[in-house]
Amino acid sequence: MLTAIVTQTGDQVQVRLVSSETTDTTMPEAVLMSASAEAGSTPKTDAEVKTPPNPVNPAINEMLWAAGSFFVLFALMRYFLFPRLKKGTEARYASIRSNSEGAVQVKADAKTDVAEYEKALDAARAEAAGRVDAARQTVDNQRTAQLAQVNARIAAARAEADQKNAAARAAAQGDVAAAVATVATRVAELALGKAPDASVVNAAVASTMEGSRS
Amino acid sequence: MIALKFPEINEILVWKELFPSFNKISLIAVLAVLISSALFFMAGRKSDVNEAPKGSRNLAEVIVDFIEDGVIMQTMGKEGLRWTPFLLTLFLFIYLCNVPGIIPLFQMPATARMAVPMFLALLIWVVFNATGIKHQGVGGYFKSVLFPPGVPKALYILVTPIELISTMLVRPFSLAVRLFANMLAGHILLVTFALLSEALFQANDKILIPVGILPFIMLVFLTSFEVLVAFLQAYIFAMLAAVYIGGAAHPEH
């Protein structure tokens, strides 16, 4: 059995003939359901076909609810919520500003302390440098004095040694001259048969030794 | 063969009334008020001034900073800061009416129905005209609107009707239609790809079922895109409102 289904969309009217045993799955469910439901009832007139309102037309109830909601939110925001939030924010900003100013003061104090410390450090360094210079000067003086003393002692010892050396050399030369004179006298005595004059031998030996030294 | 039933556009936008005159759009509008109020109420609770803001206070302050620095200072200057509560309310209300378009169970932006954008556009129209009249007087305001300075007098024949239509008609119309059309288009796209995915996944066909992944990927992409659109439309509306109000208050700027 065929059933006529009349649907209206805006100004367009559609008529479908649907079999109650249809297996056409492309048929919209709503159409099939309405077809089976309407199969036993009388067809509706155009006025009875309910078309949903045009979505572009603003619904008055939605507009009123939107307006009411918006104005409530605006009133809350204007007189309660925003000032409360802003108050908290301002308090935090004030606290941050205060802490920041405190930090600046602490930083300035710290800079002053550092400057004083550096000044004291410079003074201590200068004093230490002065003391080191003075100590160095003292040590230099002491070293110079001690060197002078040591050099004097060395010079005295050297002079004494030179004297002893000269005396020892003179003694050795005398001993050598005496030995040479003795040998020369004995040689001359053996050669000549008589002992030569001792003064002549000594003068000859002295003259010879002088000549060999020069 | 797949059975794809695409509902008529007015079927996906008309909602049953939860009680007389109160439908899903009204519910979203009321929820927007409740959520905004709850957020700012929690944000406004006393907290240690020496601690960095966190949680709801942090979020609320970020939103306020965004409105003050990103909208008001860019369009109205420092004098416009007294408009912060109004523009903050406007931005939050629009954003929270947009976002339900991608929230499961809601899945409908309140601004995809003409009522909400039209109310907001009319409100802005009233506000910027009232601001202009308050600051410049009736004569001064309409003179600045209809006879812009610096234009040769002969051109007023052309410029004056254009300015009249532009300021008095086109501004509220474009505000309303921009928000409405963007959100409606996004909503219809989501419905389309959701229905297509469902139909392909449920088809008794070995080829069509894997093909269903394509509209599903598109659906996921568009859902994330709608997150951006929801924010962007709220921002644009608030920004234009600030521009219109600032221009009415100080036409020389």
Side-chain angles (χ1 to χ4, degrees):
Chain A
M1 177 183 162
L2 291 175
T3 305
I5 300 168
V6 181
T7 53
Q8 183 184 19
T9 308
D11 294 329
Q12 289 188 334
V13 177
Q14 289 184 326
V15 179
R16 289 176 188 274
L17 293 175
V18 180
S19 166
S20 55
E21 293 85 23
T22 185
T23 55
D24 183 3
T25 52
T26 58
M27 185 65 67
E29 258 177 58
V31 174
L32 291 172
M33 285 171 65
S34 61
S36 57
E38 289 171 7
S41 61
T42 55
K44 290 183 177 179
T45 61
D46 284 354
E48 287 172 325
V49 175
K50 187 181 178 185
T51 51
N54 188 335
V56 178
N57 287 342
I60 297 299
N61 62 324
E62 290 172 10
M63 250 178 133
L64 291 175
W65 276 105
S69 303
F70 183 87
F71 286 127
V72 167
L73 180 59
F74 175 60
L76 284 171
M77 200 64 87
R78 170 75 180 79
Y79 296 107
F80 178 61
L81 298 171
F82 182 70
R84 200 156 153 257
L85 179 77
K86 205 68 181 168
K87 195 177 163 188
T89 309
E90 293 295 339
R92 198 175 71 253
Y93 285 173
S95 169
I96 290 168
R97 265 196 299 274
S98 169
N99 291 341
S100 176
E101 285 166 4
V104 168
Q105 184 59 43
V106 167
K107 195 174 173 183
D109 291 348
K111 273 186 180 173
T112 308
D113 288 347
V114 167
E116 284 177 5
Y117 165 76
E118 283 179 349
K119 196 176 168 184
L121 195 64
D122 288 343
R125 277 180 183 154
E127 187 182 345
R131 285 185 182 181
V132 167
D133 287 344
R136 190 176 289 144
Q137 188 62 42
T138 305
V139 168
D140 282 346
N141 291 341
Q142 286 178 353
R143 189 182 67 181
T144 307
Q146 285 178 353
L147 277 174
Q149 283 180 357
V150 168
N151 285 336
R153 277 207 299 270
I154 290 169
R158 187 179 287 157
E160 189 181 353
D162 284 345
Q163 281 180 348
K164 285 180 180 175
N165 193 22
R169 188 184 291 148
Q173 278 180 342
D175 289 345
V176 168
V180 169
T182 304
V183 170
T185 301
R186 183 64 185 152
V187 169
E189 189 178 353
L190 289 174
L192 295 176
K194 68 172 185 177
D197 188 7
S199 60
V200 173
V201 172
N202 287 339
V205 168
S207 172
T208 303
M209 286 180 73
E210 282 292 321
S212 65
R213 257 203 309 263
S214 63
Chain B
M1 200 67 155
I2 59 166
L4 179 60
K5 175 193 163 192
F6 192 86
E8 289 187 24
I9 190 168
N10 38 16
E11 277 182 39
I12 61 172
L13 294 171
V14 176
W15 297 94
K16 287 179 184 173
E17 293 187 340
L18 303 173
F19 58 81
S21 88
F22 190 85
N23 59 10
K24 193 187 256 187
I25 304 302
S26 317
L27 177 66
I28 291 169
V30 171
L31 282 177
V33 175
L34 293 176
I35 292 168
S36 305
S37 304
L39 172 67
F40 275 77
F41 182 79
M42 286 192 293
R45 283 180 304 185
K46 278 192 175 179
S47 60
D48 188 354
V49 292
N50 294 318
E51 276 187 8
K54 54 188 177 185
S56 57
R57 171 170 280 277
N58 189 28
L59 178 61
E61 287 192 7
V62 166
I63 297 169
V64 170
D65 282 349
F66 171 70
I67 293 296
E68 288 186 339
D69 297 337
V71 176
I72 295 174
M73 293 303 289
Q74 305 295 325
T75 55
M76 305 165 85
K78 206 171 181 180
E79 290 176 8
L81 286 175
R82 64 198 181 87
W83 286 94
T84 303
F86 178 74
L87 292 170
L88 181 65
T89 307
L90 191 68
F91 174 79
L92 280 172
F93 187 75
I94 296 172
Y95 180 70
L96 291 173
C97 283
N98 289 348
V99 154
I102 49 164
I103 293 177
L105 300 180
F106 282 102
Q107 284 165 327
M108 171 71 196
T111 42
R113 295 272 293 155
M114 195 53 174
V116 178
M118 180 175 273
F119 156 67
L120 293 170
L122 288 175
L123 177 70
I124 298 304
W125 184 82
V126 170
V127 167
F128 80 72
N129 280 315
T131 306
I133 291 168
K134 183 184 170 189
H135 280 81
Q136 304 173 56
V138 178
Y141 174 61
F142 282 101
K143 188 183 170 191
S144 72
V145 169
L146 301 177
F147 304 100
V151 177
K153 285 184 179 176
L155 282 180
Y156 282 141
I157 299 167
L158 283 173
V159 170
T160 301
I162 290 171
E163 286 294 326
L164 178 69
I165 293 168
S166 163
T167 307
M168 297 300 160
L169 296 175
V170 174
R171 276 185 182 183
F173 180 77
S174 64
L175 270 180
V177 170
R178 183 185 299 109
L179 178 59
F180 164 69
N182 273 289
M183 298 317 296
L184 177 62
H187 183 57
I188 290 173
L189 277 174
L190 291 182
V191 171
T192 304
F193 283 100
L195 285 172
L196 190 57
S197 301
E198 185 191 19
L200 290 172
F201 284 138
Q202 289 179 350
N204 291 323
D205 191 306
K206 286 181 181 176
I207 297 172
L208 289 180
I209 291 173
V211 170
I213 198 76
L214 296 175
F216 183 73
I217 289 170
M218 200 63 190
L219 177 64
V220 173
F221 169 74
L222 284 173
T223 302
S224 51
F225 185 66
E226 281 301 302
V227 177
L228 174 69
V229 171
F231 168 79
L232 206 59
Q233 288 304 317
Y235 171 65
I236 289 169
F237 201 102
M239 180 69 102
L240 287 173
V243 168
Y244 295 158
I245 295 166
H250 303 287
E252 69 277 9
H253 294 165

